[in-house]
Amino acid sequence: DTEVTQTPKHLVMGMTNKKSLKCEQHMGHRAMYWYKQKAKKPPELMFVYSYEKLSINESVPSRFSPECPNSSLLNLHLHALQPEDSALYLCASSQGGQTYNEQFFGPGTRLTVL
Amino acid sequence: TQLLEQSPQFLSIQEGENLTVYCNSSSVFSSLQWYRQEPGEGPVLLVTVVTGGEVKKLKRLTFQFGDARKDSSLHITAAQPGDTGLYLCAGLYSGGGADGLTFGKGTHLIIQP
């Protein structure tokens, strides 16, 4: 199984809402990632979890709150977002601990903030 | 800040033609990956190159890693409309572990039938 799944596929929320994005992998990977991708741009790294601990936070605003309940699951909690936060949010996973780092991406969640 | 220059950004060619996409950096990669992405979907991994001078083939796609591990290219032979999509190179600069990828800006490829 080389699949990373993400739910929901689409999400529309108001600026006062609280919502969560979910990501799951069953490849035994120990590193998981959140990326943000705006239209016609490459993905930009947001967070990295390694062995269930947050290892990288790319200066992401606190209205985005990541959580890694276990090695297979990764959540992104959203609160008080702005319209400019509308984007495709991608989750990825990798083995971790290797000299190279093949990352496998999920299909993404298309987020629209009204 | 590590930069990964990818060119061309846009390319529209006729079916059957050949093309090459380039990815360059002033820094050394520990590995480099090529992805293809369809609109509204996540990137799909095509190949990972690790060793300087390495060449990998995937059907009509040929991937090359520069000897100094600072550059890479993707060559498509006899392009087909199904090759249309966004091609992304992504580099890992560190010695390993869980680090985020640095992406090039991508090449939007359109193959006209």
Side-chain angles (χ1 to χ4, degrees):
Chain A
D1 182 4
T2 58
E3 191 177 7
V4 177
T5 59
Q6 289 187 244
T7 55
K9 187 149 179 72
H10 301 276
L11 178 63
V12 179
M13 59 186 292
M15 289 189 285
T16 59
N17 293 157
K18 285 186 181 181
K19 296 286 183 183
S20 296
L21 308 185
K22 296 185 184 300
C23 174
E24 190 167 5
Q25 57 88 14
H26 294 289
M27 295 179 276
H29 288 172
R30 304 312 301 267
M32 296 186 77
Y33 310 78
W34 281 115
Y35 289 83
K36 174 183 176 181
Q37 187 176 25
K38 303 284 278 185
K40 300 196 182 298
K41 299 290 186 183
E44 294 180 354
L45 182 68
M46 299 175 71
F47 301 104
V48 179
Y49 273 84
S50 179
Y51 293 84
E52 301 164 43
K53 290 190 181 344
L54 182 65
S55 60
I56 296 177
N57 176 342
E58 291 286 351
S59 303
V60 179
S62 60
R63 58 185 183 269
F64 295 90
S65 176
E67 179 196 19
C68 189
N70 59 58
S71 59
S72 299
L73 293 173
L74 186 67
N75 299 321
L76 187 62
H77 303 297
L78 313 173
H79 174 55
L81 294 194
Q82 304 296 311
E84 59 265 29
D85 296 322
S86 299
L88 182 67
Y89 287 84
L90 294 162
C91 173
S93 71
S94 71
Q95 290 269 15
Q98 291 182 295
T99 56
Y100 61 92
N101 193 17
E102 287 188 327
Q103 293 186 20
F104 296 90
F105 284 82
T109 293
R110 172 69 62 190
L111 174 66
T112 302
V113 182
L114 302 177
Chain B
T1 302
Q2 310 285 8
L3 286 177
L4 197 49
E5 301 288 340
Q6 187 174 343
S7 62
Q9 277 193 261
F10 298 95
L11 185 59
S12 179
I13 62 173
Q14 295 292 324
E15 181 177 1
E17 293 184 26
N18 301 333
L19 67 108
T20 303
V21 178
Y22 299 94
C23 191
N24 296 284
S25 174
S26 57
S27 302
V28 175
F29 303 116
S30 61
S31 69
L32 188 138
Q33 289 151 47
W34 286 92
Y35 293 86
R36 180 166 172 263
Q37 186 176 23
E38 300 281 357
E41 299 292 330
V44 174
L45 180 65
L46 297 175
V47 78
T48 300
V49 286
V50 179
T51 305
E54 185 175 8
V55 176
K56 285 191 173 179
K57 294 195 174 187
L58 186 65
K59 296 183 182 177
R60 291 175 294 99
L61 278 60
T62 301
F63 303 86
Q64 191 158 2
F65 202 15
D67 290 340
R69 292 189 292 139
K70 292 183 178 181
D71 58 275
S72 182
S73 64
L74 157 61
H75 183 78
I76 301 179
T77 304
Q80 298 178 1
D83 296 326
T84 293
L86 174 65
Y87 290 82
L88 294 159
C89 65
L92 185 66
Y93 289 99
S94 75
D99 285 312
L101 294 169
T102 298
F103 282 86
K105 288 189 175 181
T107 295
H108 296 266
L109 177 63
I110 297 174
I111 309 301
Q112 309 274 7

